[in-house]
């Protein structure tokens, strides 16, 4: 058994992990993958030469480099992930639940910040769902699910951008800052609970570490919406809400592009 270690500098979230897994799945010589996303490291356990594996990873254009290959490596035991899967189901439920809540209250309160944050929650839900539903499935089915999810998310982001522009160039009501702050605080609490659940697992595995990174980023976004709500109150203006909405829609679009890369 051989072990090849790669440093992949653009591997910073679950999307890149899924891209690599799907890219290497057709290679029978690949026996196990071990991801360390915080340190941008991937260990590949394989039986043949690493050349084809390295070429496949390089095709993803994630700025990779092969550090070394050990010829006498021992294949680690696959962990029991039932507890981790249960936690990820909870995190998926929290994210999708707040997507529905924030989308509804965003339209009611006329807040693009809440609508954008809801789509960010949906983007996370899609990534978690892809990870959970695609296990053991055929590569073709995974690519179809990823393609649908990516285009759906991209369409929502484009609609969001167009609405931000419409409100920017036209007279529109100032959003209800009370709803913005209250719902964003609830979403912040939801993400803090999600992060607590993930950290409770005390897992060193990549998908759990990546989930912690994703959720930490969501907490920053929630803070941005709260700040926008405060600024709307003090300035009595719609501009802070439109600004945070545009920024978060950009993150949603970036997530959609990453998901679509899974289909190539």
């Amino acid at each position: 058994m051989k072990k090849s270690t790669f440093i992949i500098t653009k591997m910073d979230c679950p999307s890149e992990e899924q891209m690599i897994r799907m890219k290497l799945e057709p290679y029978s010589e690949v026996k196990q993958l071990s991801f360390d996303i915080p340190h941008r490291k991937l260990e590949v356990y394989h039986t043949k030469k690493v050349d084809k594996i390295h070429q496949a990873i390089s095709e993803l254009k994630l700025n990779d480099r092969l550090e070394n290959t050990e010829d006498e490596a021992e294949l680690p035991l696959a962990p029991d992930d039932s507890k981790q899967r249960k936690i990820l189901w909870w995190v998926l439920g929290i994210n999708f639940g707040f997507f529905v809540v924030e989308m509804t209250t965003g339209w009611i309160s006329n807040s693009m910040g809440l609508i954008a944050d809801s789509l960010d929650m949906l983007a996370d839900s899609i990534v978690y769902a892809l990870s959970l539903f695609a296990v053991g499935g055929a590569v073709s089915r995974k690519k179809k699910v990823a393609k649908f999810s990516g285009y759906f998310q991209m369409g929502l982001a484009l609609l969001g951008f167009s609405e931000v522009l419409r409100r920017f160039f036209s007279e529109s009501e100032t959003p209800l800052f009370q709803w913005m702050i209250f719902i964003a605080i609830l979403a912040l609490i939801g993400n803090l609970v999600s992060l607590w659940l993930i950290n409770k697992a005390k897992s060193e595995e990549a998908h759990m570490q990546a989930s912690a990174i994703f959720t930490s980023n969501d907490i920053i976004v929630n803070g941005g919406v709260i700040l926008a709500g405060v600024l709307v109150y003090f300035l009595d203006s719609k501009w802070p809400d439109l600004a945070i909405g545009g920024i978060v829609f950009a993150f949603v679009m970036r997530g959609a592009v990453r998901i679509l890369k899974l289909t190539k």
Side-chain angles (χ1 to χ4, degrees):
M1 182 65 62
K2 303 176 187 295
K3 181 179 79 171
S4 294
T5 301
F6 294 86
I7 298 299
I8 307 176
T9 57
K10 292 185 179 180
M11 181 178 69
D12 59 2
C13 77
S15 297
E16 284 82 24
E17 179 186 345
Q18 286 299 313
M19 287 166 61
I20 294 169
R21 287 189 182 279
M22 292 174 65
K23 187 69 175 178
L24 296 182
E25 189 163 358
Y27 293 82
S28 58
E29 62 265 35
V30 176
K31 302 304 178 184
Q32 192 166 316
L33 301 175
S34 178
F35 291 85
D36 183 354
I37 290 179
H39 296 98
R40 311 295 194 265
K41 185 168 72 173
L42 165 65
E43 293 177 343
V44 182
Y45 294 85
H46 56 100
T47 54
K48 299 178 182 179
K49 290 184 177 180
V50 74
D51 299 12
K52 290 184 178 180
I53 297 172
H54 191 187
Q55 181 181 351
I57 294 174
S58 297
E59 288 173 359
L60 295 173
K61 302 185 185 303
L62 296 175
N63 196 17
D64 65 279
R65 81 170 183 273
L66 175 62
E67 281 230 311
N68 60 69
T69 298
E70 299 177 21
D71 291 327
E72 302 282 336
E74 185 176 346
L75 186 68
L77 294 175
D80 179 11
D81 63 352
S82 57
K83 180 180 178 181
Q84 296 170 7
R85 287 176 65 88
K86 184 177 179 180
I87 289 174
L88 287 177
W89 273 112
W90 273 102
V91 174
L92 171 60
I94 290 171
N95 275 268
F96 189 78
F98 273 104
F99 156 67
V100 174
V101 170
E102 287 192 301
M103 177 62 74
T104 303
T105 55
W107 283 112
I108 293 173
S109 63
N110 203 37
S111 169
M112 293 307 299
L114 283 179
I115 292 172
D117 196 20
S118 76
L119 293 185
D120 187 52
M121 290 284 201
L122 177 63
D124 292 351
S125 299
I126 289 172
V127 172
Y128 295 137
L130 284 173
S131 300
L132 289 165
F133 288 127
V135 173
V139 174
S140 59
R141 181 170 67 86
K142 293 178 183 180
K143 288 186 175 182
K144 287 179 181 178
V145 173
K147 182 177 288 188
F148 172 80
S149 301
Y151 280 123
F152 177 70
Q153 184 175 321
M154 183 176 289
L156 291 175
L158 289 173
L159 285 173
F161 275 126
S162 65
E163 181 65 13
V164 168
L165 290 174
R166 186 191 70 79
R167 296 188 185 194
F168 182 83
F169 290 108
S170 66
E171 292 294 330
S172 59
E173 296 180 8
T174 302
L176 301 175
F177 69 89
Q178 300 95 328
W179 280 101
M180 289 180 65
I181 296 173
F182 178 66
I183 298 300
I185 288 174
L186 289 182
L188 175 63
I189 294 171
N191 278 317
L192 287 172
V193 171
S194 296
L195 189 61
W196 176 75
L197 287 170
I198 293 167
N199 289 333
K200 187 180 177 182
K202 297 180 180 178
S203 174
E204 297 297 325
E205 291 185 70
H207 65 285
M208 298 301 286
Q209 293 177 4
S211 298
I213 293 171
F214 243 44
T215 304
S216 298
N217 291 338
D218 288 343
I219 290 171
I220 296 173
V221 172
N222 297 146
V225 176
I226 294 170
L227 176 61
V230 172
L231 290 175
V232 167
Y233 168 68
F234 281 108
L235 301 177
D236 191 23
S237 169
K238 64 182 180 181
W239 306 122
D241 178 60
L242 294 180
I244 192 65
I247 292 170
V248 179
F249 280 132
F251 282 115
V252 174
M253 179 63 74
R254 179 171 175 260
V257 171
R258 286 180 165 181
I259 290 173
L260 286 173
K261 284 183 179 180
L262 300 177
T263 67
K264 297 181 179 179

